[in-house]
Amino acid sequence: MSIQVTNLLKKYGEQKAVDNISFTISKGEIVGFLGPNGAGKSTTMKIVTGYLQADAGNATVCGVDVGNAPLDSKRKIGYLPESNPLYHEMYVREYLDFIADVHQVDNKKKRIEEVIEIVGLSPESKKKVGQLSKGYKQRVGLAAALIHDPEVLVLDEPTTGLDPNQIIEIRAVITQLGKTKTVLFSSHILQEVEAICDRVIIINKGVLVADDTLSNLQQKNKEQHEVLVSFQEPVDKALFENLQNVVMVTQLQTTNYKLQTSHPDSVRRQLLELSLQHNLNIVSLRSESHSLEDIFRDLTSSNQT
């Protein structure tokens, strides 16, 4: 396994920031690491990358124990922290040259040009880091994480500050990198995770609450399918009370309703029959599968205080 976390525990005083979590990630996987603010994502990432010591448990990267051999493990990791610390008075190439020296990169000039091209820094590469927009500063941080061609990438909110076009570009970079590297990244943009990850790990209050593929999570939560129906005329909510396989009915507007069900096809048929019986005009009728946003909310809000 490229990343293996076993019974990881980290306390701040009496508070357990990370509470006995375990997971493994294989080479070639792009895994989204999700959780509410304060859930323990950044703490876990700092432990995996060797920047923070665990109180119990251990993490290994490419077979190297992070706690026992932090320098050896760091050689295998490219890390973009959420804070993205940079030297603002350095020019972009000067900064990347410095980071390349830290990692003792061979043929560093060629490698610097390669990572500048990979992350799309070329238009701004002759500027000082401090002159860059927040989005381009993120690109500098990502270039620094890639400079030594690591086997594992740990990216904490890598698209922070990027505009929609830049997000798409960095998303493409991460997807390409995931073909040959292990990528663990956190993001609050759930659509982004859905777009590039087959698997997600969700933690809440330091506890692991989900570790599965998106398709499996959606299957497990299939009772949360939603059927959305819109009528041409106002409809009494009581009309839906006798529909089978409906968990809950929510009136969105006078003519719009949302029905939660585990049998969306059956509910759609019943709605069509209902419209014929009561001479109602359906404007639109569709069902939606459980989105990652819905799954995230269900898994984290149930444990909120």
Side-chain angles (χ1 to χ4, degrees), residues 57-161:
N58 70 297
T60 62
V61 175
C62 301
V64 179
D65 189 295
V66 175
N68 293 334
L71 288 179
D72 290 338
S73 65
K74 284 184 174 69
R75 293 188 180 98
K76 299 180 180 294
I77 300 171
Y79 178 38
L80 175 62
E82 185 178 12
S83 58
N84 190 16
L86 300 168
Y87 292 107
H88 287 190
E89 293 305 312
M90 283 185 167
Y91 289 92
V92 170
R93 282 185 172 79
E94 182 185 12
Y95 174 72
L96 294 177
D97 185 271
F98 166 70
I99 299 298
D101 282 342
V102 171
H103 287 286
Q104 299 177 333
V105 174
D106 294 329
N107 200 0
K108 65 179 180 179
K109 287 187 178 181
K110 179 183 177 182
R111 182 58 182 165
I112 288 169
E113 296 308 315
E114 287 175 350
V115 295
I116 284 175
E117 181 67 26
I118 288 171
V119 303
L121 260 175
S122 298
E124 304 290 297
S125 61
K126 295 182 180 180
K127 292 183 179 180
K128 286 187 176 182
V129 173
Q131 295 175 315
L132 301 179
S133 67
K134 187 174 182 181
Y136 274 104
K137 287 175 182 174
Q138 282 296 99
R139 292 172 185 244
V140 174
L142 183 57
L146 291 170
I147 195 72
H148 57 298
D149 195 21
E151 298 175 55
V152 173
L153 283 174
V154 178
L155 311 175
D156 198 352
E157 300 289 343
T159 56
T160 296

Side-chain angles (χ1 to χ4, degrees), residues 19 28 61 93 118 129 182 239 286 296:
D19 189 2
V61 175
R93 282 185 172 79
I118 288 171
V129 173
T182 303
L239 200 61
R286 71 182 192 276
F296 177 85

Side-chain angles (χ1 to χ4, degrees), residues 152-186:
V152 173
L153 283 174
V154 178
L155 311 175
D156 198 352
E157 300 289 343
T159 56
T160 296
L162 304 187
D163 64 35
N165 289 332
Q166 292 171 331
I167 288 174
I168 292 172
E169 292 169 5
I170 296 300
R171 182 190 297 170
V173 170
I174 294 172
T175 301
Q176 186 64 31
L177 292 170
K179 294 178 180 179
T180 57
K181 301 181 187 300
T182 303
V183 182
L184 174 66
F185 81 99
S186 70

Side-chain angles (χ1 to χ4, degrees), residues 159-284:
T159 56
T160 296
L162 304 187
D163 64 35
N165 289 332
Q166 292 171 331
I167 288 174
I168 292 172
E169 292 169 5
I170 296 300
R171 182 190 297 170
V173 170
I174 294 172
T175 301
Q176 186 64 31
L177 292 170
K179 294 178 180 179
T180 57
K181 301 181 187 300
T182 303
V183 182
L184 174 66
F185 81 99
S186 70
S187 176
H188 283 101
I189 306 173
L190 300 186
Q191 294 89 342
E192 178 178 293
V193 175
E194 284 185 294
I196 65 176
C197 294
D198 289 325
R199 176 182 163 205
V200 294
I201 296 171
I202 304 176
I203 64 172
N204 187 40
K205 295 184 177 180
V207 178
L208 192 148
V209 294
D211 180 1
D212 212 333
T213 63
L214 285 172
S215 58
N216 282 347
L217 286 173
Q218 288 173 330
Q219 181 65 24
K220 290 175 183 176
N221 290 273
K222 64 181 180 180
E223 70 277 3
Q224 299 297 328
H225 274 288
E226 295 175 348
V227 174
L228 302 173
V229 60
S230 176
F231 296 91
Q232 193 173 48
E233 55 278 300
V235 177
D236 188 348
K237 184 178 177 181
L239 200 61
F240 305 113
E241 289 180 353
N242 295 323
L243 294 181
Q244 296 179 350
N245 303 314
V246 174
V247 177
M248 184 171 65
V249 178
T250 304
Q251 186 171 7
L252 304 177
Q253 296 175 1
T254 307
T255 59
N256 296 349
Y257 287 86
K258 177 174 68 176
L259 293 76
Q260 285 189 325
T261 178
S262 58
H263 298 79
D265 293 340
S266 171
V267 171
R268 286 199 304 271
R269 285 194 298 270
Q270 292 178 73
L271 286 170
L272 291 171
E273 292 170 0
L274 195 70
S275 68
L276 292 173
Q277 292 170 7
H278 295 271
N279 197 27
L280 299 173
N281 297 291
I282 293 179
V283 176
S284 66

Side-chain angles (χ1 to χ4, degrees), residues 1-8 46-77:
M1 294 296 176
S2 291
I3 299 176
Q4 184 165 357
V5 170
T6 307
N7 300 326
L8 212 59
K46 288 175 182 177
I47 293 172
V48 169
T49 54
Y51 288 86
L52 194 64
Q53 188 72 36
D55 293 322
N58 70 297
T60 62
V61 175
C62 301
V64 179
D65 189 295
V66 175
N68 293 334
L71 288 179
D72 290 338
S73 65
K74 284 184 174 69
R75 293 188 180 98
K76 299 180 180 294
I77 300 171

